[in-house]
């Protein structure tokens, strides 16, 4: 069964550095998402992306964050000037469509900011 | 802001027992999805419920969407150790894009 893949599985970065988290969504899916899960807390929506533009974003997704689909397969989340509180699991998801279509999640990237 | 609450937060039972976990909100959702998450992995979709009152069965798991589409329940019959995990509900807005997750119910099934 096709799945969403994320790389790297674990990223350790010094505070203030930039990180790029990568995702390969399921190939025929059109909608892409990033979520964050701080240790011990619930999964939080960051952003949704469709047709090469952001369709919705949460208040967490400020100017520090950006997303891109640089080619036909990758979907990236860039975090500029990382802060300690950015440490979390970051999950990518994709869905075939909107309107109640199920979202399929990758296994996440654990981001640790030192 | 739409919020989802889940209860109980933790549940530890013996193998073979039945259990029900709940997902509640004061908001109406166009759909609710149930996921199971293992440590170090992403949420894995179990089911999507869309219609108020809808009941779906997945082997020993029974999911129900409330008539008013504000709540949902997950019932597990004859629980097994392999059912151990974090059960998350997530609700979609009218467009189904912006998912709100509940905090989860952490289930432990002891052999």
């Amino acid at each position: 069964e096709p799945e969403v893949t994320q790389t790297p599985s674990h990223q350790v970065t010094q505070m203030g550095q930039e990180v790029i988290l990568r995702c390969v969504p399921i190939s025929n899916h059109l909608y892409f998402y990033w979520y964050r899960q701080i240790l011990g807390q619930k999964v939080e929506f960051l952003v949704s992306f469709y047709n090469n533009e952001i369709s919705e974003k949460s208040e967490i997704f400020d100017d520090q964050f950006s997303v891109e689909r640089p080619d036909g397969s990758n979907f990236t989340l860039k975090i500029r000037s990382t802060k300690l509180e950015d440490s979390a699991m970051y999950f990518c998801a994709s869905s075939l469509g909107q309107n109640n279509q199920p979202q399929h999640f990758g296994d996440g990237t654990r981001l640790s900011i030192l | 802001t739409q919020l989802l609450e889940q209860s109980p937060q933790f549940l530890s039972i013996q193998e073979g027992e039945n259990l029900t976990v709940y997902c509640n909100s004061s908001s109406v959702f166009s759909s609710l999805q149930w996921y199971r998450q293992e440590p170090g992995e992403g949420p894995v979709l179990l089911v999507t419920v869309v219609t108020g009152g809808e009941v779906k069965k997945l082997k020993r798991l029974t999911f129900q969407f409330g008539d008013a589409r504000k709540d949902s329940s997950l019932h597990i019959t004859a629980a097994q150790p392999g059912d151990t995990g974090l059960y998350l509900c997530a609700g979609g807005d009218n467009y189904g894009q912006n998912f709100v997750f509940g905090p989860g119910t952490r289930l432990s099934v002891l052999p």
Side-chain angles (χ1 to χ4, degrees), chain A residues 31 33 35 37 42-43 45 48-50 55-56 89 91 98-108 110, chain B residues 3-4 30-31 33 35 37 40-43 45 48 50 86 88 93-99 101-103:
Chain A
Y31 292 80
Y33 314 86
Y35 292 83
Q37 187 176 31
K42 62 182 180 181
V43 177
F45 169 78
S48 58
F49 191 86
Y50 168 71
S55 51
E56 209 162 340
M89 284 290 289
F91 293 105
Q98 58 181 10
N99 294 336
N100 309 318
Q101 289 290 319
Q103 296 186 15
H104 297 266
F105 283 74
D107 281 341
R110 180 173 298 283
Chain B
L3 291 174
L4 281 168
S30 62
S31 67
Q33 301 190 358
Y35 293 83
Q37 186 179 22
E41 297 181 8
L45 179 69
T48 300
V50 177
L86 180 67
L88 301 167
D93 61 17
N94 286 334
Y95 299 97
Q97 291 191 63
N98 185 354
F99 269 24
F101 275 84

Side-chain angles (χ1 to χ4, degrees), chain B residues 28-94:
Chain B
V28 175
F29 289 91
S30 62
S31 67
L32 272 179
Q33 301 190 358
W34 285 91
Y35 293 83
R36 191 172 88 183
Q37 186 179 22
E38 307 281 357
E41 297 181 8
V44 175
L45 179 69
L46 297 174
V47 78
T48 300
V49 286
V50 177
T51 306
E54 181 177 5
V55 176
K56 282 191 173 178
K57 292 194 173 184
L58 184 66
K59 298 183 181 177
R60 292 177 294 101
L61 278 60
T62 302
F63 304 85
Q64 184 162 8
F65 200 12
D67 291 341
R69 292 187 288 130
K70 293 183 178 180
D71 54 83
S72 182
S73 63
L74 159 59
H75 181 79
I76 302 179
T77 304
Q80 299 176 0
D83 296 327
T84 294
L86 180 67
Y87 288 83
L88 301 167
C89 66
D93 61 17
N94 286 334

Side-chain angles (χ1 to χ4, degrees), chain A:
Chain A
E1 183 173 323
E3 55 184 29
V4 176
T5 56
Q6 291 186 241
T7 55
S9 57
H10 192 187
Q11 174 78 46
V12 182
T13 301
Q14 290 288 329
M15 185 172 62
Q17 298 294 307
E18 173 183 286
V19 294
I20 297 177
L21 310 182
R22 290 183 166 79
C23 170
V24 179
I26 294 173
S27 61
N28 63 336
H29 284 188
L30 301 176
Y31 292 80
F32 315 115
Y33 314 86
W34 282 102
Y35 292 83
R36 178 181 83 176
Q37 187 176 31
I38 295 171
L39 185 64
Q41 298 185 24
K42 62 182 180 181
V43 177
E44 300 172 291
F45 169 78
L46 293 179
V47 66
S48 58
F49 191 86
Y50 168 71
N51 199 26
N52 283 321
E53 60 183 28
I54 290 173
S55 51
E56 209 162 340
K57 61 182 180 179
S58 72
E59 54 195 30
I60 301 170
F61 194 89
D62 59 21
D63 292 343
Q64 184 193 8
F65 295 88
S66 62
V67 290
E68 192 178 30
R69 188 157 164 81
D71 52 44
S73 60
N74 289 284
F75 179 51
T76 63
L77 174 68
K78 181 189 291 185
I79 310 175
R80 288 181 284 275
S81 188
T82 49
K83 305 187 287 279
L84 293 176
E85 54 265 38
D86 293 328
S87 295
M89 284 290 289
Y90 287 82
F91 293 105
C92 173
S94 68
S95 65
L96 188 58
Q98 58 181 10
N99 294 336
N100 309 318
Q101 289 290 319
Q103 296 186 15
H104 297 266
F105 283 74
D107 281 341
T109 292
R110 180 173 298 283
L111 178 63
S112 299
I113 307 299
L114 305 178

